[in-house]
Amino acid sequence: MTLRGENLIGAEARRGTEAAVRAVAAATGESLEPDFPGASLGDLDRACALAEAAFDTYRETDPETRAGFLEAIAANILETGDALVTRCMEETGLPRPRIEGERARTVGQLRLFAGVVREGSSVAVRIDPALPDRKPLPRPDLRLRRIAVGPVAVFGASNFPLAFSVAGGDTASALAAGCPVVVKAHPAHPGTSELVGRAIQKAVASCGLPEGTFSLLFDAGQSIGQGLVADPRIAAVGFTGSRRGGTALMAIAAARPVPIPVYAEMSSINPVLLFPGALAARGAEIGQAFAASLTLGAGQFCTNPGLILALPGPGLDAFLEAAGAALRDSPAATMLTPGIQRAYREAVARVAGHAAVTRIAEGAEGGGTQGRASLFATDSDVFLADPALQEEMFGASGLVVRCADLAAMRAVLEHLEGQLTAALHLAPEDHAAARDLLPLLERRVGRILVNGFGTGVEVAHAMVHGGPYPATSDGRTTSVGSLAIDRFLRPVSYQDVPDALLPPALQAANPLGLPRRIDGVPERR
Ligand SMILES: NC(=O)c1ccc[n+]([C@@H]2O[C@H](COP(=O)([O-])OP(=O)(O)OC[C@H]3O[C@@H](n4cnc5c(N)ncnc54)[C@H](O)[C@@H]3O)[C@@H](O)[C@H]2O)c1
Ligand SMILES: O=CCCC(=O)C(=O)O
């Protein structure tokens, strides 16, 4: 498939007229062909108009049609073959196994949502039949279903160019909910974005859906992104990226005459709690596993274990020695963009320059667009005194905070902002101490895990990839897993509506075969 540098506006594909996005090879900085001229505000208006025109038809597609559409997208992505993998590798500098694995994850995510749509419980049908003879007042017939909220704007993430980008979790869950999607491509991987965008555009056509179901827009600046969020036809936003970017878009959305939700996944340092029993039993082993997680994807994971809390002792010494040795052997790794590399280097320099922080180890020094791993250490009172030490170093660097005792560890946890994950390394003798901290951790994070690390998010029904602000903009939601669909649905109640006027989901005959609750009790099917 030849890249043409075109915006995809419904069924149309046309080159923009504004400043062009130009992809560069992450490893070398070499410009890649073609350029991607940015969309105009007229293109944005057209994409939103088509999305609005598509909405009522798309949201009423039956489960099989919509599930088939998601599966067609998955098939079309696979059909792009090695062209997608090689282009994505070039644009991101990520290795083939990672890209092939992420493609499988993206395809699996689409198929998971197809299953969710077919199964039908996300429609959440509830029926409370009329009780005409109830005294003192009869009860009306009440029926509820959830419907799509409207067209959704999605901002592709830089660090997961497939699983969190054009056909990533935000797009998949919005389409599964019945929402048309307008994607603002991430400027770091425009070619990857066009290839995946065409896979979606092709599926829209082959499934006979309204052309406005999907559009993809490029922009070298921020006007299209901001214009999308401000457009009255957009009903919600999905975003993965910086806290600065996410909060800027949240402000635009909140200032609208009709405010809308921005589901932003922004920043997290993902505390790792090393308990004494675990450290005594396997400090070195945990240290090696930590180093592997810290350097995964050049550390450019939102789930990167950036903060380690532990009590001093031989176990921590063994952890530090093993982690330090592993990191000293770690090669520098290509980072996604010069901007991300610059931000990373500046963040590391700030921590390295702190008078009360010591550097434990650093990896091989890189050049060009590479980042090197680093591990630092300080004491909990220093960490508590300086909020800057809580800032995310988006890359392969972490900070060990020595806590004099479990009370000091609790004090650090109480001090932390909202996080995506917390990882606890436990031996059985640590369970009592861990149990004491769980209520606090539940209030701070979206996912609690034991004897592992947060990197490697499973696309599953019980996954929460979210957490209290500023990990995300809304701690009640997740951007990964089948619950992600809830963000783009809202309930509507129908009272005493004649059956002939009810949507199929609520008709007495249940023609869609949806799971339903009758008077709150799941209907036996
Ligand atoms: N938490 C995460 O998962 C995550 C993922 C990627 C990046 N980041 C952080 O973000 C930093 C920059 O990386 P990035 O480029 O992916 O994120 P970014 O927030 O700069 O950009 C993400 C997307 O949002 C758009 N955007 C950002 N701010 C905008 C604004 N004010 N108006 C309109 N559009 C806007 C960008 O054009 C891009 O398409 C990284 O250094 C890292 O610290 C975090
Ligand atoms: O970077 C954000 C997502 C992280 C993720 O999906 C993973 O750790 O697998």
Side-chain angles (χ1 to χ4, degrees):
M1 188 182 292
T2 306
L3 285 174
R4 295 197 285 272
E6 294 174 336
N7 295 282
L8 307 180
I9 303 170
E12 200 182 354
R14 64 167 182 261
R15 283 174 65 83
T17 55
E18 307 306 310
V21 173
R22 169 72 73 173
V24 295
T28 63
E30 170 206 356
S31 284
L32 299 175
E33 294 299 330
D35 65 351
F36 294 76
S40 66
L41 292 178
D43 294 328
L44 183 157
D45 179 62
R46 172 82 174 139
C48 291
L50 286 172
E52 184 178 58
F55 179 43
D56 278 338
T57 301
Y58 180 64
R59 73 182 176 93
E60 289 300 347
T61 48
D62 65 77
E64 189 48 43
T65 299
R66 202 180 302 170
F69 168 49
L70 295 170
E71 289 167 341
I73 296 172
N76 292 348
I77 288 172
L78 290 174
E79 205 173 278
T80 59
D82 213 48
L84 176 62
V85 174
T86 52
R87 179 69 187 202
C88 196
M89 288 166 65
E90 265 191 307
E91 289 182 323
T92 65
L94 294 171
R96 175 176 288 273
R98 159 70 189 274
I99 299 302
E100 290 179 341
E102 193 176 328
R103 179 179 58 180
R105 172 173 166 174
T106 304
V107 165
Q109 192 162 244
L110 287 158
R111 290 170 174 164
L112 176 87
F113 280 111
V116 169
V117 169
R118 277 199 183 93
E119 186 271 337
S121 57
S122 57
V123 183
V125 173
R126 295 172 174 211
I127 298 173
D128 297 325
L131 298 175
D133 303 328
R134 189 180 65 174
K135 299 302 180 197
L137 289 172
R139 184 176 78 182
D141 180 89
L142 279 170
R143 294 167 190 259
L144 175 156
R145 69 162 178 164
R146 295 198 302 182
I147 68 168
V149 293
V152 171
V154 171
F155 287 75
S158 60
N159 62 331
F160 275 77
L162 297 174
F164 284 77
S165 193
V166 174
D170 286 340
T171 298
S173 51
L175 291 174
C179 299
V181 168
V182 181
V183 174
K184 206 292 284 184
H186 195 286
H189 51 263
T192 303
S193 298
E194 179 181 333
L195 289 171
V196 174
R198 289 185 185 279
I200 301 175
Q201 188 185 51
K202 181 180 172 186
V204 170
S206 67
C207 294
L209 297 172
E211 65 169 312
T213 304
F214 173 79
S215 291
L216 171 70
L217 301 175
F218 293 98
D219 180 16
Q222 300 184 336
S223 59
I224 294 299
Q226 294 183 359
L228 269 178
V229 175
D231 193 287
R233 294 161 291 196
I234 295 296
V237 178
F239 171 91
T240 294
S242 65
R243 189 185 309 191
R244 176 184 301 169
T247 50
L249 299 178
M250 289 163 65
I252 293 169
R256 290 171 32 139
V258 178
I260 60 170
V262 174
Y263 298 108
E265 191 256 275
M266 296 179 281
S267 68
S268 184
I269 56 177
N270 305 295
V272 177
L273 285 62
L274 305 178
F275 284 80
L279 278 179
R282 53 186 198 282
E285 178 191 329
I286 300 170
Q288 288 170 342
F290 160 73
S293 176
L294 184 76
T295 54
L296 201 57
Q300 299 162 123
F301 276 44
C302 51
T303 48
N304 184 272
L307 180 68
I308 301 89
L309 309 181
L311 279 59
L316 178 57
D317 297 344
F319 169 88
L320 291 174
E321 186 177 334
L327 291 175
R328 278 186 284 273
D329 289 342
S330 68
T334 298
M335 299 196 80
L336 290 159
T337 69
I340 288 178
Q341 180 206 36
R342 185 168 50 252
Y344 171 62
R345 284 183 167 174
E346 288 168 0
V348 170
R350 281 195 297 274
V351 173
H354 194 293
V357 171
T358 55
R359 190 194 296 270
I360 299 291
E362 61 183 347
E365 183 167 14
T369 59
Q370 293 184 314
R372 75 187 308 184
S374 289
L375 184 61
F376 299 96
T378 191
D379 295 328
S380 60
D381 57 338
V382 174
F383 181 79
L384 292 172
D386 187 348
L389 290 177
Q390 191 178 157
E391 288 173 13
E392 181 186 37
M393 293 184 276
F394 193 72
S397 283
L399 175 64
V400 177
V401 175
R402 286 182 293 266
C403 305
D405 51 29
L406 290 172
M409 185 182 279
R410 170 182 285 275
V412 170
L413 293 170
E414 284 170 346
H415 173 75
L416 287 183
E417 297 174 316
Q419 305 290 331
L420 292 170
T421 71
L424 289 70
H425 286 264
L426 304 174
E429 61 265 36
D430 300 315
H431 286 190
R435 186 178 294 111
D436 181 51
L437 289 176
L438 282 177
L440 172 54
L441 290 170
E442 288 166 344
R443 296 199 303 273
R444 283 288 183 283
V445 310
R447 177 164 54 111
I448 298 169
L449 60 137
V450 171
N451 293 340
F453 295 93
T455 48
V457 173
E458 185 69 30
V459 179
H461 297 286
M463 175 50 65
V464 172
H465 185 62
Y469 184 87
T472 74
S473 52
D474 185 340
R476 296 167 299 173
T477 66
T478 177
S479 64
V480 176
S482 53
L483 211 57
I485 194 174
D486 285 15
R487 300 174 295 169
F488 305 117
L489 292 166
R490 71 175 185 87
V492 177
S493 187
Y494 302 71
Q495 181 169 331
D496 289 333
V497 177
D499 197 74
L501 296 181
L502 285 170
L506 296 177
Q507 290 170 3
N510 193 8
L512 299 180
L514 296 174
R516 311 193 299 182
R517 280 180 177 274
I518 312 298
D519 281 327
V521 177
E523 185 179 41
R524 297 176 66 82
R525 298 198 289 171

